[in-house]
Amino acid sequence: MSQSQFVSKCTTDALQLAVTTLLHGNLVAFPTETVYGLGADALNKQAVARIYETKGRPADHPLIVHLHSMQVMGQWVEDVPEYAIALGRDFWPGPMTLIFKRSTLAQDFITGGQDTVGIRVPDHVVALALLEAFHTLGGGGIAAPSANRFGHVSPTTAQAVSDELSEYLRPEDQILDGGACTVGVESTIIDCTGPAPRILRPGGITIEMIKETTGLIPLQLVDSKEEIRVSGSLEKHYAPAAKVILDAAPDAGQGFIALKELVTPEGVIRLAAPINTDEFARDLYAALRKADEKGLAEVVVEQPQGDGIAIAIRDRLERASKGR
Ligand code: TXA
Ligand code: MG
């Protein structure tokens, strides 16, 4: 678990090297406000294939293309409805991914053969600097899933990326360290191919915010086989090795994650005590990782109530509780 050879602080030199790394078809893990991404040149088939290898991810699961600005989105997509422009204006850069009909630039190796593509402008200085420099040097966009092995907990620090992926990376690859992610759960994914926005994965951009911006009532993902290729919507996902038990009274020897107001019973190992739901989202994945580092068999999580980002937290925990 030591700091690996891959991790570098985000100096100007490291950023420059990262752009070259990407242009050469290698991988760069980078921070975003949600979770760390494992990036590759979205126009380079071999480079994108390495993302799948490194994550151990099935090849038909589509990737999000990250851009430095909504202005360049037109190259990647077709048929952008007005409500999507409103969403982009209000929430980009930010924790939101929009799904559109793809242009010919978004090839099968990005979209998993689907005729849509996911686009995100992340809100993180390092990510934006990397994306902008990549664009300036002729790069088209950076494809990036969360920088974890398939089905595991997403990483929210460079150290967590290194712990997850170092053994699968090559010497040419790089991990940019931009500190801990501030949102902590993955972006809200919104399908913008229909007459109204449809939420495929809840996240930091909430139903209320989407309603407010678009004046439309967003549809919610109904679980069905047809949706299975939204890998984040697989029934089992986001899971640590420890068994996740929801909303139970913790016993001695078990890990415990809950809002600070809940006391830790005797002998229970407290892994996080966030003061509100935002902090809950920010700390959750690191706390689940801590359970594994401590070799705990079980971790009990008292889920936060209410809407807003609490919905995203409960969505991830529900899947995490189904195991790997
Ligand atoms: O916050 C985030 O979204 C992070 C950071 C790195 O940007 N990325 C992320 O990527 O969570 P990933 O690949 O771990 O999860 C993206 C989800 C997957 O479930 C994928 O199936 C879905 O987005 N997705 C991507 N493109 C899609 C498309 N065209 N249609 C439907 N779902 C799509
Ligand atoms: Mg993921």
Side-chain angles (χ1 to χ4, degrees):
M1 299 264 178
S2 63
Q3 190 80 332
S4 82
Q5 60 186 53
F6 298 105
V7 178
S8 48
K9 290 277 172 224
C10 287
T11 58
T12 314
D13 283 353
L15 264 178
Q16 213 48 54
L17 175 65
V19 174
T20 317
T21 300
L22 290 169
L23 289 170
H24 287 167
N26 296 307
L27 304 182
V28 174
F30 60 95
T32 80
E33 79 280 33
T34 58
V35 300
Y36 274 69
L38 180 64
D41 177 352
L43 295 174
N44 182 330
K45 187 173 181 176
Q46 280 78 35
V48 170
R50 286 214 42 233
I51 291 182
Y52 286 87
E53 266 169 49
T54 306
K55 278 187 63 95
R57 180 177 179 155
D60 60 353
H61 287 269
L63 297 173
I64 297 169
V65 176
H66 294 70
L67 302 173
H68 73 283
S69 158
M70 187 171 159
Q71 308 303 322
V72 291
M73 180 174 85
Q75 303 171 347
W76 290 91
V77 306
E78 282 172 13
D79 301 345
V80 178
E82 224 154 277
Y83 70 76
I85 295 174
L87 287 170
R89 282 227 183 92
D90 278 7
F91 303 128
W92 274 341
M96 176 181 78
T97 297
L98 300 183
I99 308 286
F100 299 103
K101 185 163 181 274
R102 66 171 167 179
S103 75
T104 50
L105 208 57
Q107 297 175 64
D108 283 346
F109 60 82
I110 290 293
T111 70
Q114 305 189 93
D115 62 358
T116 57
V117 64
I119 303 289
R120 180 159 113 81
V121 181
D123 186 16
H124 191 289
V125 276
V126 172
L128 287 172
L130 178 69
L131 287 162
E132 196 158 357
F134 186 66
H135 175 77
T136 304
L137 290 181
I142 301 178
S146 52
N148 50 277
R149 294 283 287 168
F150 183 65
H152 291 195
V153 177
S154 299
T156 53
T157 62
Q159 179 67 52
V161 178
S162 171
D163 294 345
E164 276 275 322
L165 297 181
S166 280
E167 65 181 293
Y168 306 98
L169 293 174
R170 294 189 187 158
E172 303 77 41
D173 301 330
Q174 208 184 332
I175 300 170
L176 284 175
D177 186 351
C181 300
T182 52
V183 176
V185 293
E186 303 80 358
S187 62
T188 305
I189 302 181
I190 308 170
D191 177 1
C192 297
T193 61
R198 191 168 64 122
I199 301 173
L200 300 183
R201 180 176 72 182
I205 301 301
T206 62
I207 302 171
E208 295 76 22
M209 294 160 86
I210 298 168
K211 256 190 228 164
E212 168 94 14
T213 282
T214 64
L216 297 168
I217 304 205
L219 308 169
Q220 312 266 345
L221 175 68
V222 278
D223 261 348
S224 80
K225 278 264 178 326
E226 166 215 358
E227 306 289 356
I228 208 82
R229 286 207 278 169
V230 186
S231 65
S233 76
L234 290 177
E235 195 192 349
K236 296 181 183 185
H237 214 81
Y238 311 107
K243 181 174 163 50
V244 175
I245 300 165
L246 301 179
D247 305 328
D251 292 326
Q254 290 180 322
F256 186 41
I257 299 170
L259 285 168
K260 193 171 178 9
E261 64 218 38
L262 273 103
V263 293
T264 313
E266 183 80 30
V268 167
I269 301 127
R270 191 63 175 256
L271 299 168
I275 55 167
N276 55 35
T277 47
D278 282 344
E279 197 173 292
F280 204 116
R282 193 150 54 223
D283 292 351
L284 176 63
Y285 288 161
L288 291 175
R289 281 177 185 282
K290 214 191 280 176
D292 287 350
E293 279 158 28
K294 291 180 179 295
L296 302 182
E298 293 172 332
V299 49
V300 172
V301 187
E302 182 68 31
Q303 302 189 90
Q305 296 307 304
D307 42 22
I309 201 159
I311 294 176
I313 295 171
R314 294 196 300 269
D315 169 77
R316 306 308 190 273
L317 282 170
E318 190 61 42
R319 298 174 208 287
S321 72
K322 302 277 164 53
R324 281 187 180 167

